[in-house]
């Protein structure tokens, strides 16, 4: 044998009458889990036995396992209580900020306020970033309203982000997406005045611009479908920036297939993460992606928050969509799909 132990065959004869006796002598009892009858029966049987090693050992193992599970449950409970306390404090801070803005004449709404132990929609965030000015101009991209987004504060090194400005009829789509979210809190407003604004066509208009939104409520994976379509139709390159890279199987397959058929697939992720646990998950995909030919780079000066995708100098997407499961499946997102627009080479230049 591989272990150098000599093995011999042993013939065992079994008395069939003995088996019948064992079969007939076997019995069982059912114990309800709500009383202590089972434990008392176990102790009674142990006292009757001259040697009870097996029974005692089994009971000791179950007791030890129960202790471990109880400890794990206690740790989870403590973590949950800490999270709820932090979440409650954050909600109170947000309410104070909203009251301050309201006093300045700025109307504000909090999307689905989180109520500890009551809210069931922790994952369904409004992750959209939309600015619409007079129905004529719209902005969208990765940037929120905060000091770190313009590098007044630098907790994670240099913060790099991206946005696009839209003029023309495409602005109507962003106006509609904003009003859809606002309508969740105030459905008595007449939106006609916002949706009937005449929008002139810019004189330098060229190419095609399609604003789109993604929602967890319609069972349509719009964001993922747009990205996979670009990957499937690319001929030369697909360059992507994302702060979080936790793709599902469909996205992994699309990235790998594009790289294997010779498309230059590159992804830039943060060099200095804002969330270390998520960054660990991001890095867990490096080997799988690199082995298929996808090139992964880290933005070493700091944190890249831009969410963009550019392909073949003809297609581009700039918006709020991260390449992670929550963004693709659970969040309310928005983005701009561009084809043959003059700004697409600028997006590729910024990537380089």
């Amino acid at each position: 044998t591989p272990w150098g132990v000599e093995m011999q065959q042993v013939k065992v004869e079994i008395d069939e009458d003995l088996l019948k006796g064992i079969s007939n002598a076997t019995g069982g009892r059912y114990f309800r889990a709500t009383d202590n009858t089972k434990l008392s029966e176990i102790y009674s049987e142990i006292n009757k036995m001259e040697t009870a090693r097996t029974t005692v050992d089994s009971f000791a193992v179950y007791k030890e396992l129960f202790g471990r599970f109880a400890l794990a449950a206690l740790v989870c409970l403590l973590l949950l209580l800490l999270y709820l306390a932090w979440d409650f404090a954050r909600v109170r801070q947000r309410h104070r900020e909203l009251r301050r803005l309201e006093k300045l004449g700025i109307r504000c709404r909090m999307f689905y306020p989180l109520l500890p132990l009551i809210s069931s929609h922790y994952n369904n965030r409004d992750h959209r970033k939309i600015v619409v000015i007079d129905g004529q101009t719209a902005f969208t991209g990765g940037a929120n309203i905060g000091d770190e987004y313009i590098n007044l504060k630098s907790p994670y090194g240099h913060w790099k982000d991206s946005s696009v400005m839209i003029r023309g009829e495409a602005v109507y789509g962003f106006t509609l997406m904003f009003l859809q979210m606002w309508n969740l809190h105030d459905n008595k407003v007449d939106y006609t005045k916002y949706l009937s604004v005449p929008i002139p066509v810019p004189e330098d208009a060229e190419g095609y611009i399609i604003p789109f939104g993604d929602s967890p409520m319609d069972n349509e994976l719009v964001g993922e479908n747009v990205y996979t379509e670009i990957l499937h139709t690319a001929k030369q390159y697909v360059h992507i920036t994302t702060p979080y890279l936790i793709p599902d199987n469909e996205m992994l397959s699309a990235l790998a297939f594009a790289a294997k058929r010779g498309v230059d697939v590159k992804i830039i992720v943060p060099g200095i993460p804002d969330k270390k646990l998520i960054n660990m998950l991001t890095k867990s995909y490096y080997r799988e992606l690199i082995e298929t030919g996808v090139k992964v780079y880290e933005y070493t000066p700091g944190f890249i928050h831009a969410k963009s995708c550019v392909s073949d100098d003809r297609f581009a997407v700039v918006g709020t969509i991260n390449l992670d499961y929550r963004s693709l499946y659970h969040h309310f997102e928005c983005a701009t799909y561009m084809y043959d627009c003059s700004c697409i080479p600028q997006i590729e230049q910024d990537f380089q």
Side-chain angles (χ1 to χ4, degrees):
T1 65
W3 301 279
V5 180
E6 183 177 352
M7 305 294 291
Q8 296 181 353
Q9 289 185 344
V10 179
K11 183 178 181 181
V12 180
E13 295 182 358
I14 301 176
D15 189 341
E16 293 183 1
D17 293 332
L18 177 61
L19 288 176
K20 292 179 181 179
I22 293 175
S23 176
N24 293 333
T26 302
R29 288 186 59 188
Y30 171 76
F31 299 98
R32 294 180 60 191
T34 56
D35 55 36
N36 61 356
T37 307
K38 181 178 179 180
L39 288 178
S40 61
E41 288 290 335
I42 291 174
Y43 292 137
S44 175
E45 292 299 319
I46 290 176
N47 291 331
K48 294 178 183 178
M49 297 172 63
E50 292 182 0
T51 174
R53 176 175 298 177
T54 302
T55 305
V56 174
D57 285 350
S58 298
F59 183 74
V61 169
Y62 284 119
K63 184 177 180 181
E64 182 179 357
L65 288 175
F66 177 79
R68 291 180 180 177
F69 284 129
L71 179 61
L74 179 61
V75 171
C76 290
L77 178 60
L78 291 174
L79 290 174
L80 176 61
L81 292 175
L82 288 172
Y83 171 76
L84 292 176
W86 170 80
D87 190 43
F88 183 70
R90 187 176 63 167
V91 170
R92 290 187 61 186
Q93 181 182 0
R94 289 284 176 87
H95 279 292
R96 288 195 297 268
E97 293 172 352
L98 291 182
R99 286 194 295 269
R100 179 186 175 190
L101 291 173
E102 291 280 357
K103 290 180 180 178
L104 296 173
I106 303 172
R107 298 181 62 191
C108 300
R109 294 291 182 272
M110 185 180 294
F111 177 80
Y112 278 177
L114 296 179
L115 301 176
L117 298 179
I118 297 178
S119 300
S120 59
H121 46 265
Y122 289 95
N123 280 324
N124 300 139
R125 298 172 58 203
D126 178 13
H127 196 237
R128 296 173 177 177
K129 300 97 164 61
I130 299 173
V131 175
V132 179
I133 304 171
D134 294 337
Q136 308 292 319
T137 305
F139 292 84
T140 191
N144 292 301
I145 300 175
D147 291 342
E148 63 269 29
Y149 294 90
I150 54 176
N151 285 290
L152 288 180
K153 294 181 179 179
S154 303
Y156 313 107
H158 182 267
W159 189 288
K160 181 173 176 57
D161 224 313
S162 64
S163 295
V164 290
M165 180 179 67
I166 309 297
R167 288 197 179 101
E169 294 181 353
V171 176
Y172 182 89
F174 286 107
T175 303
L176 188 62
M177 280 188 278
F178 176 86
L179 293 176
Q180 284 176 335
M181 306 307 287
W182 187 269
N183 188 62
L184 294 173
H185 306 280
D186 192 354
N187 56 12
K188 297 180 181 180
V189 178
D190 181 13
Y191 297 123
T192 306
K193 61 180 180 180
Y194 302 111
L195 299 175
S196 59
V197 176
I199 304 176
V201 178
E203 296 180 358
D204 56 347
E206 58 181 337
Y208 298 89
I209 295 175
I210 305 175
F212 66 91
D214 203 351
S215 167
M217 305 302 179
D218 58 8
N219 297 318
E220 294 283 346
L221 303 178
V222 180
E224 184 169 49
N225 289 338
V226 169
Y227 271 75
T228 54
E229 174 67 14
I230 291 175
L231 287 164
H232 288 322
T233 57
K235 297 179 180 179
Q236 300 175 7
Y237 73 85
V238 178
H239 294 163
I240 299 171
T241 62
T242 178
Y244 313 114
L245 181 61
I246 310 175
D248 61 0
N249 185 64
E250 286 75 10
M251 185 62 69
L252 280 172
S253 299
L255 290 166
F257 181 66
K260 288 179 180 179
R261 60 187 179 85
V263 176
D264 179 35
V265 181
K266 294 178 180 176
I267 304 175
I268 299 179
V269 296
I272 302 176
D274 65 334
K275 299 176 180 64
K276 293 185 179 181
L277 180 59
I278 296 179
N279 186 252
M280 291 171 61
L281 291 174
T282 292
K283 290 184 176 181
S284 70
Y285 288 92
Y286 284 7
R287 178 185 294 273
E288 183 175 358
L289 289 168
I290 292 172
E291 287 179 350
T292 62
V294 177
K295 303 177 183 69
V296 181
Y297 300 87
E298 293 184 347
Y299 181 69
T300 53
F303 184 72
I304 185 166
H305 192 250
K307 305 98 165 34
S308 64
C309 174
V310 59
S311 174
D312 295 347
D313 291 334
R314 301 192 69 186
F315 305 93
V317 174
V318 176
T320 67
I321 302 170
N322 301 318
L323 287 192
D324 66 12
Y325 188 87
R326 291 184 65 192
S327 187
L328 296 174
Y329 284 83
H330 294 302
H331 292 173
F332 291 88
E333 305 282 5
C334 68
T336 302
Y337 184 94
M338 292 168 280
Y339 171 70
D340 270 353
C341 297
S342 59
C343 66
I344 292 178
Q346 298 175 20
I347 299 173
E348 169 60 13
Q349 183 179 3
D350 184 57
F351 180 93
Q352 296 296 336

